Amino acid sequence: MAAAMLNRTNILTPLANKTKTLLSTRRFASVGVGSDLVSAAPNVSLQKARTWDEGVSSNFSTTSLKDLFKGKKVVIFGLPGAFTGVCSAKHVPSYKDNIQKFKSKGVDSVICVSVNDPYVMNGWAEKLQAKEVIEFYGDFDGSFHKSLDLSVDLTSALLGHRSHRWSAFVEDGKVKVLNVEKVPSEFEVSGGHHILGQI
């Protein structure tokens, strides 16, 4: 979560309680093990992390889910936001620090996606020195996460509509493993160390 929220107990406790109540009253996500991500999010594409000039020169191109997943073994993880506390200090590093272990298991790419624009994602990836080993994508309007029922209202934390904290192992577009944290402030099942043991 946001850097100012590293000492955030008082801010996030009401949010966590509200989220737990919502989770107890509905099915958590519309995708699960066996789901085809490409079919689950039709007509959705993501924006690769890039500078503004790179965006202009590419005519603001996007990447289809088919291009990301078909014929590949992919580990993908979603998080509430770039430049936020848990995301920066724990979530991304848990993948960056284990990238060779993912490669040794035959993973073609490790992808980080967040409800941010591709320019923010680019700046964040560079700050974390992770752009060379992890592919960063922006879900600028949240359509990817909404399609998967993995969006969450974090207005209480001044973030607006964002993504739950989650991870998945996807093979040829099919979800083989899916981990979703109970609340976005937690970091227990969505980290790189956890999913490595599930592949």
Side-chain angles (χ1 to χ4, degrees), residues 71-87:
K72 301 174 185 174
K73 292 181 179 179
V74 176
V75 169
I76 183 170
F77 63 102
L79 39 78
F83 293 101
T84 57
V86 174
C87 303

PDB file of all heavy atoms in Angstrom, residues 71-87:
ATOM      1  N   GLY A  71       0.238 -20.586 -25.690  1.00  0.00           N
ATOM      2  CA  GLY A  71       1.445 -21.365 -25.965  1.00  0.00           C
ATOM      3  C   GLY A  71       2.581 -21.096 -24.997  1.00  0.00           C
ATOM      4  O   GLY A  71       3.718 -21.477 -25.256  1.00  0.00           O
ATOM      5  N   LYS A  72       2.286 -20.474 -23.853  1.00  0.00           N
ATOM      6  CA  LYS A  72       3.337 -20.111 -22.904  1.00  0.00           C
ATOM      7  C   LYS A  72       2.978 -20.562 -21.491  1.00  0.00           C
ATOM      8  O   LYS A  72       1.818 -20.746 -21.152  1.00  0.00           O
ATOM      9  CB  LYS A  72       3.539 -18.589 -22.890  1.00  0.00           C
ATOM     10  CG  LYS A  72       3.927 -18.007 -24.225  1.00  0.00           C
ATOM     11  CD  LYS A  72       3.965 -16.482 -24.145  1.00  0.00           C
ATOM     12  CE  LYS A  72       4.226 -15.877 -25.515  1.00  0.00           C
ATOM     13  NZ  LYS A  72       4.133 -14.405 -25.485  1.00  0.00           N
ATOM     14  N   LYS A  73       4.023 -20.672 -20.673  1.00  0.00           N
ATOM     15  CA  LYS A  73       3.858 -20.871 -19.240  1.00  0.00           C
ATOM     16  C   LYS A  73       4.171 -19.537 -18.579  1.00  0.00           C
ATOM     17  O   LYS A  73       5.288 -19.022 -18.712  1.00  0.00           O
ATOM     18  CB  LYS A  73       4.814 -21.952 -18.721  1.00  0.00           C
ATOM     19  CG  LYS A  73       4.494 -23.351 -19.227  1.00  0.00           C
ATOM     20  CD  LYS A  73       5.461 -24.367 -18.653  1.00  0.00           C
ATOM     21  CE  LYS A  73       5.134 -25.764 -19.144  1.00  0.00           C
ATOM     22  NZ  LYS A  73       6.083 -26.771 -18.610  1.00  0.00           N
ATOM     23  N   VAL A  74       3.173 -18.980 -17.903  1.00  0.00           N
ATOM     24  CA  VAL A  74       3.287 -17.621 -17.371  1.00  0.00           C
ATOM     25  C   VAL A  74       2.903 -17.595 -15.897  1.00  0.00           C
ATOM     26  O   VAL A  74       1.911 -18.200 -15.494  1.00  0.00           O
ATOM     27  CB  VAL A  74       2.371 -16.649 -18.156  1.00  0.00           C
ATOM     28  CG1 VAL A  74       2.413 -15.254 -17.560  1.00  0.00           C
ATOM     29  CG2 VAL A  74       2.743 -16.635 -19.635  1.00  0.00           C
ATOM     30  N   VAL A  75       3.685 -16.884 -15.127  1.00  0.00           N
ATOM     31  CA  VAL A  75       3.300 -16.546 -13.763  1.00  0.00           C
ATOM     32  C   VAL A  75       2.912 -15.074 -13.801  1.00  0.00           C
ATOM     33  O   VAL A  75       3.680 -14.234 -14.260  1.00  0.00           O
ATOM     34  CB  VAL A  75       4.443 -16.785 -12.755  1.00  0.00           C
ATOM     35  CG1 VAL A  75       4.098 -16.178 -11.395  1.00  0.00           C
ATOM     36  CG2 VAL A  75       4.711 -18.275 -12.608  1.00  0.00           C
ATOM     37  N   ILE A  76       1.710 -14.774 -13.357  1.00  0.00           N
ATOM     38  CA  ILE A  76       1.223 -13.399 -13.344  1.00  0.00           C
ATOM     39  C   ILE A  76       0.765 -13.057 -11.939  1.00  0.00           C
ATOM     40  O   ILE A  76       0.186 -13.899 -11.251  1.00  0.00           O
ATOM     41  CB  ILE A  76       0.090 -13.197 -14.378  1.00  0.00           C
ATOM     42  CG1 ILE A  76      -0.372 -11.723 -14.403  1.00  0.00           C
ATOM     43  CG2 ILE A  76      -1.064 -14.153 -14.154  1.00  0.00           C
ATOM     44  CD1 ILE A  76      -1.321 -11.401 -15.555  1.00  0.00           C
ATOM     45  N   PHE A  77       1.061 -11.842 -11.521  1.00  0.00           N
ATOM     46  CA  PHE A  77       0.573 -11.398 -10.212  1.00  0.00           C
ATOM     47  C   PHE A  77       0.035  -9.984 -10.321  1.00  0.00           C
ATOM     48  O   PHE A  77       0.537  -9.158 -11.062  1.00  0.00           O
ATOM     49  CB  PHE A  77       1.646 -11.524  -9.127  1.00  0.00           C
ATOM     50  CG  PHE A  77       2.891 -10.679  -9.318  1.00  0.00           C
ATOM     51  CD1 PHE A  77       3.066  -9.503  -8.596  1.00  0.00           C
ATOM     52  CD2 PHE A  77       3.885 -11.079 -10.205  1.00  0.00           C
ATOM     53  CE1 PHE A  77       4.220  -8.741  -8.747  1.00  0.00           C
ATOM     54  CE2 PHE A  77       5.043 -10.324 -10.367  1.00  0.00           C
ATOM     55  CZ  PHE A  77       5.215  -9.145  -9.635  1.00  0.00           C
ATOM     56  N   GLY A  78      -1.054  -9.765  -9.589  1.00  0.00           N
ATOM     57  CA  GLY A  78      -1.690  -8.458  -9.565  1.00  0.00           C
ATOM     58  C   GLY A  78      -1.606  -7.868  -8.177  1.00  0.00           C
ATOM     59  O   GLY A  78      -1.571  -8.592  -7.178  1.00  0.00           O
ATOM     60  N   LEU A  79      -1.581  -6.550  -8.129  1.00  0.00           N
ATOM     61  CA  LEU A  79      -1.438  -5.870  -6.853  1.00  0.00           C
ATOM     62  C   LEU A  79      -2.137  -4.517  -6.877  1.00  0.00           C
ATOM     63  O   LEU A  79      -2.456  -3.994  -7.943  1.00  0.00           O
ATOM     64  CB  LEU A  79       0.043  -5.731  -6.488  1.00  0.00           C
ATOM     65  CG  LEU A  79       1.031  -5.402  -7.621  1.00  0.00           C
ATOM     66  CD1 LEU A  79       0.988  -3.944  -7.983  1.00  0.00           C
ATOM     67  CD2 LEU A  79       2.423  -5.832  -7.251  1.00  0.00           C
ATOM     68  N   PRO A  80      -2.401  -3.942  -5.703  1.00  0.00           N
ATOM     69  CA  PRO A  80      -3.190  -2.706  -5.645  1.00  0.00           C
ATOM     70  C   PRO A  80      -2.583  -1.501  -6.351  1.00  0.00           C
ATOM     71  O   PRO A  80      -3.318  -0.702  -6.927  1.00  0.00           O
ATOM     72  CB  PRO A  80      -3.324  -2.444  -4.141  1.00  0.00           C
ATOM     73  CG  PRO A  80      -3.243  -3.796  -3.524  1.00  0.00           C
ATOM     74  CD  PRO A  80      -2.243  -4.536  -4.361  1.00  0.00           C
ATOM     75  N   GLY A  81      -1.262  -1.327  -6.320  1.00  0.00           N
ATOM     76  CA  GLY A  81      -0.763  -0.143  -7.005  1.00  0.00           C
ATOM     77  C   GLY A  81       0.735   0.035  -6.993  1.00  0.00           C
ATOM     78  O   GLY A  81       1.428  -0.339  -6.042  1.00  0.00           O
ATOM     79  N   ALA A  82       1.232   0.641  -8.067  1.00  0.00           N
ATOM     80  CA  ALA A  82       2.639   1.000  -8.162  1.00  0.00           C
ATOM     81  C   ALA A  82       2.993   1.999  -7.068  1.00  0.00           C
ATOM     82  O   ALA A  82       2.160   2.799  -6.650  1.00  0.00           O
ATOM     83  CB  ALA A  82       2.918   1.612  -9.538  1.00  0.00           C
ATOM     84  N   PHE A  83       4.229   1.932  -6.615  1.00  0.00           N
ATOM     85  CA  PHE A  83       4.769   2.856  -5.622  1.00  0.00           C
ATOM     86  C   PHE A  83       4.071   2.767  -4.264  1.00  0.00           C
ATOM     87  O   PHE A  83       4.136   3.705  -3.478  1.00  0.00           O
ATOM     88  CB  PHE A  83       4.742   4.304  -6.129  1.00  0.00           C
ATOM     89  CG  PHE A  83       5.669   4.563  -7.275  1.00  0.00           C
ATOM     90  CD1 PHE A  83       5.181   4.629  -8.568  1.00  0.00           C
ATOM     91  CD2 PHE A  83       7.032   4.735  -7.071  1.00  0.00           C
ATOM     92  CE1 PHE A  83       6.031   4.863  -9.646  1.00  0.00           C
ATOM     93  CE2 PHE A  83       7.893   4.973  -8.140  1.00  0.00           C
ATOM     94  CZ  PHE A  83       7.394   5.035  -9.434  1.00  0.00           C
ATOM     95  N   THR A  84       3.381   1.660  -3.998  1.00  0.00           N
ATOM     96  CA  THR A  84       2.728   1.507  -2.700  1.00  0.00           C
ATOM     97  C   THR A  84       3.560   0.571  -1.820  1.00  0.00           C
ATOM     98  O   THR A  84       4.403  -0.180  -2.321  1.00  0.00           O
ATOM     99  CB  THR A  84       1.286   0.995  -2.858  1.00  0.00           C
ATOM    100  OG1 THR A  84       1.299  -0.235  -3.577  1.00  0.00           O
ATOM    101  CG2 THR A  84       0.430   2.012  -3.599  1.00  0.00           C
ATOM    102  N   GLY A  85       3.314   0.618  -0.525  1.00  0.00           N
ATOM    103  CA  GLY A  85       4.190  -0.012   0.456  1.00  0.00           C
ATOM    104  C   GLY A  85       4.455  -1.490   0.312  1.00  0.00           C
ATOM    105  O   GLY A  85       5.571  -1.908   0.023  1.00  0.00           O
ATOM    106  N   VAL A  86       3.437  -2.332   0.541  1.00  0.00           N
ATOM    107  CA  VAL A  86       3.614  -3.783   0.470  1.00  0.00           C
ATOM    108  C   VAL A  86       3.997  -4.206  -0.944  1.00  0.00           C
ATOM    109  O   VAL A  86       4.836  -5.091  -1.137  1.00  0.00           O
ATOM    110  CB  VAL A  86       2.335  -4.518   0.938  1.00  0.00           C
ATOM    111  CG1 VAL A  86       2.452  -6.014   0.726  1.00  0.00           C
ATOM    112  CG2 VAL A  86       2.056  -4.219   2.405  1.00  0.00           C
ATOM    113  N   CYS A  87       3.411  -3.554  -1.930  1.00  0.00           N
ATOM    114  CA  CYS A  87       3.687  -3.890  -3.326  1.00  0.00           C
ATOM    115  C   CYS A  87       5.160  -3.679  -3.656  1.00  0.00           C
ATOM    116  O   CYS A  87       5.796  -4.502  -4.326  1.00  0.00           O
ATOM    117  CB  CYS A  87       2.816  -3.046  -4.260  1.00  0.00           C
ATOM    118  SG  CYS A  87       1.054  -3.208  -3.937  1.00  0.00           S
TER     119      CYS A  87
END
